[in-house]
Amino acid sequence: MTDLSITASAVALVESPRQPRTFPAGVAITAGMVVRLNSSGAVVGADGGAAGTTDIIGVAVTGGAIGQGITVAQADAIIDVGNALSALAIGALVYVSDTGTNVGVMGDVAGTSSRTVGRVIPAFGATTADKLIRIAALDY
Amino acid sequence: MANNTLAYGFASLSQMLGERVTTQNTGLVRDAIAASAAEYSRMIGEAVSALADRTTLAKERYQLPGSGTLQPIDEFGIPLPVRPAGYYDVAYPIFGGGTAFGRNRVTSALETVADMNRDQVLAEQQDADWMVRHMLAALFDNVAWTYSDPLLGNLTVQPLAITSDGVQYVATGGVAATAQHYLAQTAAIADATNPYTTGYNLLSKYPSNVGRDIVAFIPTNLVATTEALTEFVEVLDPDIRVGANTAVLQASGEGLKAMGDMVRGKVSKVWVVEWKRLPDNNILFVVDGRPPLAMRQYDAAQLQGFFPEFHSPDGARIERRYLRYAGFGVRDRVAAAIIQVSGSDTTYDIPTGYDAPLPV
């Protein structure tokens, strides 16, 4: 199992069929974290270790401290995570990882509680395809 | 596995400001951006002028003049009526390409002219890359292919002259024959295996090319062997006083440089221009003043050229898009030729990345 090593400054929202929503941060959030809502409706990091921590709403595309607004790329959005996908094949699934506790890490293998974040898709800004993530259909 | 070539997405405040310099006594040099913009603009403008005629036509029919001679007659003789016949069709595709830049309401308000200029330069570089690759693919691909036009149906995009399709071209002297304008030799460039003589003889035999300069654009890896040819004469260097008994070129050839990088000299009646963009071991021969390609665009003026488009999906995100619709196909099938050298065999192979139609 390999976790995605995401550089926050490389994360960007590329496309979103729905208006991206902004939520207050329940903990310090960095761009690129896969997030869920806590009981107060604030975003916190997801965790593949248990079912209760994998009900994700999307991937944070901005970062901030507790209380700051965090924009989340939700279902069907496309995000750029820099070179974090270089080892994954186009079409590969990306999952919520077990790594850490509620820190919103993504990986190439399903966690204890399997939850798909999205799929690697190609982008053709160059003659060799670049890799982005299309967020999967989610419950939210 | 390869990293991404580009970064995508709407630029956030930290991303846009993160590349600026905020500390004292640290300058931000944008020379590379300006130099890149100037070079790409020069290259693409010259390349289109030298290699392509602009058109809105989808296809054209070239009528051939025919050949033959007068029938013998005597005082009572009556020649039999004849009909000029023969033609070949060429057709041109249209493809679309675009790029875009995203801002949010904050970064849109805070961006500077320099930020916008940087986006503009990147867009122009991407456009130049797209145009040159598509032009070269139209020349390098030696196989006819089908373009499915939404209005006109299937169109056959032709390569330069090839013997396999049976089309005959009239050479000086009135003889009509098939021609092969994609050649390959296993030998490297040398006096005994001089491709420039071949290229000159191939192109100069057509009435449409008579009296015009033949220019060979060569990749960098062929410069040394070309300049080593006995017949090669270098362009005059104003910093060097030429010794006695040394042949020098009277003309600089600068007017023939077009999209190339440097006029190297002349050999076997052919001007030699280095063009770093070309794939190794491929010599592109063109006839000055006879663009071999047509660049097709839509009739509507608002769809021609490299044009901007603005969009905001939700008022919070702003997109600036730059779009182009164009396509290249061979128009004058005897106005250019390609000779590959140092190959593994004498069969012409389409260089990697230039097999039309290009997917990107």
Side-chain angles (χ1 to χ4, degrees):
Chain A
M1 174 183 188
T2 304
D3 290 332
L4 301 189
S5 175
I6 297 175
T7 301
S9 61
V11 176
L13 176 67
V14 179
E15 181 186 281
S16 182
R18 63 165 85 171
Q19 291 184 16
R21 292 205 59 203
T22 305
F23 304 87
V27 296
I29 299 289
T30 56
M33 282 176 62
V34 58
V35 294
R36 57 184 177 89
L37 298 176
N38 66 13
S39 59
S40 303
V43 288
V44 296
D47 189 323
T53 55
T54 58
D55 52 342
I56 61 175
I57 62 165
V59 177
V61 293
T62 58
I66 295 176
Q68 287 185 247
I70 304 296
T71 296
V72 178
Q74 296 184 272
D76 292 326
I78 299 173
I79 60 172
D80 185 355
V81 290
N83 296 322
L85 303 174
S86 60
L88 274 65
I90 289 172
L93 292 174
V94 176
Y95 302 90
V96 180
S97 168
D98 277 357
T99 300
T101 303
N102 298 325
V103 291
V105 175
M106 291 185 270
D108 61 355
V109 173
T112 303
S113 175
S114 176
R115 185 72 188 192
T116 302
V117 178
R119 191 182 290 274
V120 178
I121 63 167
F124 294 102
T127 52
T128 302
D130 291 327
K131 296 173 186 173
L132 307 175
I133 296 178
R134 178 178 285 283
I135 310 293
L138 303 172
D139 294 337
Y140 287 92
Chain B
M1 292 257 189
N3 289 336
N4 282 357
T5 301
L6 292 180
Y8 297 80
F10 291 84
S12 67
L13 193 57
S14 61
Q15 287 165 338
M16 195 171 78
L17 298 183
E19 292 206 8
R20 294 187 190 168
V21 172
T22 55
T23 57
Q24 267 188 324
N25 300 324
T26 302
L28 180 61
V29 181
R30 299 181 191 266
D31 288 357
I33 298 173
S36 182
E39 171 57 18
Y40 271 90
S41 293
R42 179 200 73 80
M43 188 189 70
I44 197 59
E46 296 283 1
V48 173
S49 294
L51 297 179
D53 276 332
R54 287 179 167 82
T55 185
T56 55
L57 298 174
K59 62 187 292 186
E60 293 181 276
R61 173 161 291 182
Y62 272 71
Q63 286 188 320
L64 299 173
S67 59
T69 190
L70 297 180
Q71 301 163 40
I73 57 174
D74 64 6
E75 59 191 323
F76 295 101
I78 302 171
L80 297 174
V82 298
R83 292 177 292 120
Y87 65 87
Y88 63 86
D89 289 334
V90 292
Y92 320 117
I94 285 190
F95 292 104
T99 190
F101 304 94
R103 298 285 187 271
N104 57 42
R105 66 172 71 82
V106 174
T107 52
S108 179
L110 295 183
E111 69 177 338
T112 65
V113 171
D115 293 326
M116 295 173 66
N117 183 56
R118 193 180 187 194
D119 288 352
Q120 177 78 21
V121 167
L122 177 59
E124 290 174 354
Q125 283 179 201
Q126 292 171 338
D127 177 55
D129 176 85
W130 188 93
M131 292 276 278
V132 168
R133 285 190 300 105
H134 281 254
M135 275 195 280
L136 290 180
L139 289 168
F140 280 127
D141 195 334
N142 65 335
V143 180
W145 59 276
T146 300
Y147 170 68
S148 179
D149 190 284
L151 296 177
L152 303 172
N154 287 343
L155 303 175
T156 302
V157 182
Q158 299 288 355
L160 298 171
I162 50 174
T163 53
S164 58
D165 62 8
V167 175
Q168 297 193 334
Y169 307 89
V170 177
T172 52
V175 178
T178 58
Q180 180 62 259
H181 281 224
Y182 294 94
L183 301 172
Q185 62 184 53
T186 54
I189 296 173
D191 287 340
T193 50
N194 181 351
Y196 297 100
T197 304
T198 306
Y200 178 82
N201 290 339
L202 185 57
L203 292 178
S204 62
K205 69 183 182 184
Y206 300 104
S208 56
N209 299 341
V210 168
R212 296 180 180 275
D213 285 311
I214 308 294
V215 184
F217 291 95
I218 66 171
T220 301
N221 83 311
L222 296 183
V223 169
T225 48
T226 298
E227 294 185 342
L229 290 170
T230 301
E231 283 188 43
F232 181 81
V233 181
E234 205 172 6
V235 291
L236 203 60
D237 186 332
D239 295 327
I240 297 176
R241 184 166 60 187
V242 180
N245 304 318
T246 302
V248 295
L249 281 175
Q250 301 272 44
S252 67
E254 276 299 304
L256 300 170
K257 190 173 81 170
M259 62 283 181
D261 299 296
M262 180 184 292
V263 179
R264 287 290 176 174
K266 200 169 183 181
V267 62
S268 307
K269 305 185 194 63
V270 175
W271 284 96
V272 177
V273 177
E274 179 186 1
W275 186 16
K276 294 178 170 57
R277 185 67 197 231
L278 288 176
D280 283 353
N281 299 323
N282 285 269
I283 304 174
L284 170 62
F285 291 85
V286 298
V287 180
D288 181 49
R290 301 283 304 174
L293 302 175
M295 174 178 146
R296 179 185 171 198
Q297 300 184 95
Y298 287 119
D299 291 350
Q302 63 266 42
L303 296 177
Q304 295 179 356
F306 193 47
F307 60 92
E309 185 179 87
F310 304 100
H311 175 65
S312 178
D314 52 17
R317 291 172 288 155
I318 300 106
E319 288 182 33
R320 286 195 300 267
R321 304 167 182 158
Y322 297 90
L323 313 172
R324 179 182 286 280
Y325 290 96
F328 295 92
V330 170
R331 184 185 219 182
D332 186 340
R333 301 182 70 186
V334 295
I338 296 172
I339 299 180
Q340 292 177 333
V341 301
S342 302
S344 56
D345 53 34
T346 56
T347 300
Y348 175 87
D349 298 310
I350 300 170
T352 303
Y354 294 105
D355 190 352
L358 298 181
V360 176

